[in-house]
Amino acid sequence: MSFVIRPSLESDLPAITAIYAHAVTHGTASFELDPPSQAEMARRRDAILEGGYPYLVAEQGGKLLGYAYAGAYRTRPAYRSTVEDSIYVAPSAQGQGVGRALLVALIEQCEALDFRLMVAVIGDEESHGSIALHRSHGFEPVGIFKGVGYKHGRWLSTVLMQRPLGPGTTEPPTRPLSAG
């Protein structure tokens, strides 16, 4: 499957909203229970971009296949060099390398911005595909929060993984305190 990875545009929001709505309604990648509106998704995208973080989409022939972004892991200044990744792929494009391509591009962009650590917070221990995807790109498991969410009639755990970016923690951060 050939597709293009590019920065997201405001015009991508209807497709982004639909992809996320499906994930919220049918999956466990997000612990939200109700899909947010397009206006809320626009607000969230704007916040990511205003924070200086990347927000990418995968597109093929004008159709959005998935999206990914990095955002602040936590808001306190000491965390300014750590990002959390989020990747969502349309159901029709899953298993075709879209998530992999988005993750690779996201890692590259975060390294170019001199972030030092990427954290994956994966909903549900049964998300074997997401866990394997992250592991194949250098993420290591660092813990599991057991039964921290309740969705679709069952308790869900959260798998935590992390990956160094660039020099990682071998050097002090260079990002200004106002970033992230």
Side-chain angles (χ1 to χ4, degrees), residues 13 17 36-46:
L13 282 166
T17 301
S37 68
Q38 185 172 317
E40 174 60 17
M41 292 298 287
R43 187 200 65 72
R44 293 177 188 185
R45 178 181 166 272
D46 289 346

Side-chain angles (χ1 to χ4, degrees), residues 116-117 164-173:
R116 300 299 182 83
L117 186 74
L165 300 172
T169 57
T170 63
E171 299 173 12

Side-chain angles (χ1 to χ4, degrees), residues 8 12-21 41 45 55 57 64 67:
S8 69
D12 297 323
L13 282 166
I16 287 170
T17 301
I19 290 168
Y20 188 66
M41 292 298 287
R45 178 181 166 272
Y55 201 119
V57 297
L64 214 68
Y67 70 97

Side-chain angles (χ1 to χ4, degrees), residues 4-47:
V4 174
I5 303 292
R6 62 166 175 78
S8 69
L9 303 170
E10 189 172 338
S11 59
D12 297 323
L13 282 166
I16 287 170
T17 301
I19 290 168
Y20 188 66
H22 186 274
V24 168
T25 304
H26 301 286
T28 58
S30 170
F31 280 19
E32 283 196 74
L33 300 178
D34 298 308
S37 68
Q38 185 172 317
E40 174 60 17
M41 292 298 287
R43 187 200 65 72
R44 293 177 188 185
R45 178 181 166 272
D46 289 346

Side-chain angles (χ1 to χ4, degrees), residues 16 28 35 54 64 67 78 82 84 109 125 144 155 161 173 177:
I16 287 170
T28 58
L64 214 68
Y67 70 97
T82 301
E84 179 180 337
Q109 287 208 7
E125 286 179 273
I144 299 174
W155 288 103
M161 300 179 83
L177 286 173

Side-chain angles (χ1 to χ4, degrees), residues 58-76:
E59 178 186 42
Q60 179 186 52
K63 181 180 179 186
L64 214 68
L65 305 175
Y67 70 97
Y69 60 88
Y73 171 65
R74 297 279 189 265
T75 58
R76 294 199 171 101

